[in-house]
């Protein structure tokens, strides 16, 4: 290789390494709410207060069930190992739940208007068999507010019929969520992504509320990220299940007067990495590169840099 070719090679290699290193560094999302169940005492979540590892939850009020029944929080337990989901790195903790009528939540510490995005990881190990069984996350006036809940994102929906599909919707006294296209397999971890338009705005025929849900396996999520990780990629990626609901009345809020809640009825499993944000990118984390791999890339880059300098000195 002559001097000119070697110089061109070094220049191209340096640019490539710089691009790899730059894209490998994860960008922290701007989150409205984050709960990874990290930093809690292992065991019952009830009564423990959202800690400094959380975002957007009221750290002055502990997890509770609105006083409806103290037994409804007993089947939620913090474990010190998080769910695994491909190459994503989770915070280290997770929340397990066993069969029973379970409701637990915490007050919100933020207010938001606009399009609300959410995501969470879930792995179901068992399902109930009754028409009102299932598993979801929601926003409501209180954790136990089943008839006036603002936003429902079901991983397993049986609100009115014996359907085991995903479900999504704005929920009010007379409005139920809408069931989706398919059921989730047991003992498989999924990411559930949802969006809700016009949060905090009075809805009408001209200003509709559109709720959407997508359920993805780890491989489907990797394909979504590889396709660009944006709304176009989400719409074009093969997913396990989807659900959609459009409504034209009501005002559904996300504010400090509301609460975030987990509700599971006769299902069992583990939930982890709960997120709410103002954009899809806020709730779709990207893999964090292995330290050794990052160090190796940096080392190659530094080596090429010094080779480049030596070539320049020879000239």
């Amino acid at each position: 290789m002559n001097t000119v070719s070697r110089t061109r090679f070094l220049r191209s290699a340096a640019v490539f390494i710089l691009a790899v290193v730059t894209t490998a560094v994860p960008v922290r999302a701007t989150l409205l709410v984050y709960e990874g169940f990290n930093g809690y005492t292992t065991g019952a979540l009830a009564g423990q207060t959202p800690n400094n590892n959380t975002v957007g939850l009221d750290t002055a009020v502990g997890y509770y069930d609105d006083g409806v029944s103290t037994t409804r929080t007993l089947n939620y337990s913090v474990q010190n190992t998080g769910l695994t989901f491909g190459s994503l790195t989770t915070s280290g903790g997770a929340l397990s739940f066993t069969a029973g009528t379970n409701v637990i939540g915490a007050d919100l510490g933020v207010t938001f208007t606009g399009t609300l995005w959410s995501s969470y990881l879930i792995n179901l190990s068992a399902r109930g068999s009754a028409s009102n069984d299932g598993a979801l996350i929601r926003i409501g006036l209180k954790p136990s507010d089943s008839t006036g809940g603002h936003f429902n994102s079901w991983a397993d929906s049986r609100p009115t019929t014996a359907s085991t599909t995903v479900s999504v919707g704005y929920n009010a006294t007379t409005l139920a969520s809408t069931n989706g296209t398919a059921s989730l397999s047991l003992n498989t971890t999924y990411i559930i992504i949802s969006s809700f338009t016009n949060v905090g705005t009075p809805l009408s025929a001209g200003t509709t509320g559109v709720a959407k849900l997508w359920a993805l396996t780890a491989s489907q999520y990797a394909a979504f990220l590889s396709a660009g990780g944006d709304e176009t990629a989400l719409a074009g990626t093969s997913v396990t299940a989807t659900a959609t609901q459009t409504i034209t009345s009501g005002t559904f809020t996300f504010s400090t007067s509301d609460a975030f809640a987990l509700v599971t009825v006769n299902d069992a499993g583990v939930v982890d990495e709960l997120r709410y944000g103002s954009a899809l990118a806020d709730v779709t984390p990207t893999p964090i590169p292995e330290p050794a791999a990052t160090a190796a890339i940096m080392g190659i880059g530094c080596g090429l840099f010094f080779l480049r300098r030596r070539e320049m000195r020879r000239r």
Side-chain angles (χ1 to χ4, degrees):
M1 182 182 294
N2 59 37
T3 300
V4 173
S5 297
R6 187 183 297 110
T7 300
R8 288 175 177 172
F9 167 75
L10 291 173
R11 183 182 300 135
S12 299
V15 170
F16 170 76
I17 293 297
L18 178 61
V20 170
V21 171
T22 301
T23 56
V25 176
V27 178
R28 182 175 177 83
T30 303
L31 291 168
L32 298 170
V33 170
Y34 170 75
E35 176 61 277
F37 303 104
N38 184 32
Y40 292 95
T41 300
T42 302
L45 178 62
Q48 296 198 59
T49 302
N51 57 43
N52 291 333
N53 295 317
T54 65
V55 174
L57 297 178
D58 188 345
T59 57
V61 179
Y63 271 91
Y64 68 105
D65 177 43
D66 199 23
V68 173
S69 172
T70 56
T71 64
R72 293 173 68 176
T73 63
L74 298 181
N75 293 331
Y76 287 111
S77 182
V78 177
Q79 60 184 43
N80 57 17
T81 55
L83 287 173
T84 58
F85 193 68
S87 56
L88 289 184
T89 299
T90 59
S91 65
L95 190 69
S96 64
F97 51 92
T98 55
T101 300
N102 308 319
V103 181
I104 199 166
D107 290 344
L108 295 179
V110 293
T111 295
F112 172 76
T113 58
T115 297
L116 179 70
W117 288 86
S118 72
S119 72
Y120 61 99
L121 300 181
I122 191 165
N123 185 306
L124 295 172
S125 57
R127 290 191 179 94
S129 58
S131 61
N132 62 343
D133 295 343
L136 81 154
I137 64 170
R138 71 177 175 217
I139 300 297
L141 297 178
K142 294 296 180 184
S144 59
D145 182 27
S146 60
T147 59
H150 302 155
F151 315 105
N152 288 345
S153 178
W154 293 80
D156 177 27
S157 173
R158 298 188 188 97
T160 55
T161 62
S163 169
T164 62
T165 67
V166 297
S167 184
V168 70
Y170 303 76
N171 198 54
T173 303
T174 59
L175 181 66
S177 298
T178 300
N179 287 347
T181 59
S183 302
L184 305 185
S185 298
L186 296 180
N187 302 308
T188 301
T189 301
Y190 296 87
I191 187 169
I192 307 296
I193 302 171
S194 300
S195 66
F196 304 86
T197 64
N198 291 315
V199 173
T201 299
L203 302 179
S204 64
T207 306
T208 59
V210 180
K212 295 182 179 181
L213 179 148
W214 301 260
L216 293 78
T217 62
S219 60
Q220 291 168 341
Y221 187 71
F224 153 69
L225 293 178
S226 296
D230 55 13
E231 293 184 49
T232 299
L234 186 59
T237 299
S238 176
V239 302
T240 297
T242 60
T244 303
Q245 182 186 79
T246 300
I247 63 173
T248 58
S249 63
T251 301
F252 300 87
T253 62
F254 186 95
S255 73
T256 54
S257 298
D258 300 316
F260 152 77
L262 297 98
V263 183
T264 57
V265 183
N266 293 325
D267 281 16
V270 179
V271 65
D272 198 4
E273 296 295 309
L274 308 171
R275 290 174 165 85
Y276 285 93
S278 60
L280 174 59
D282 296 343
V283 302
T284 50
T286 55
I288 297 176
E290 293 292 332
T294 303
I297 293 172
M298 293 293 288
I300 294 171
C302 289
L304 288 171
F305 171 76
F306 285 113
L307 283 173
R308 166 76 172 147
R309 287 191 63 186
R310 188 173 68 178
E311 287 294 327
M312 293 182 67
R313 287 174 178 173
R314 287 177 177 176
R315 299 166 72 180

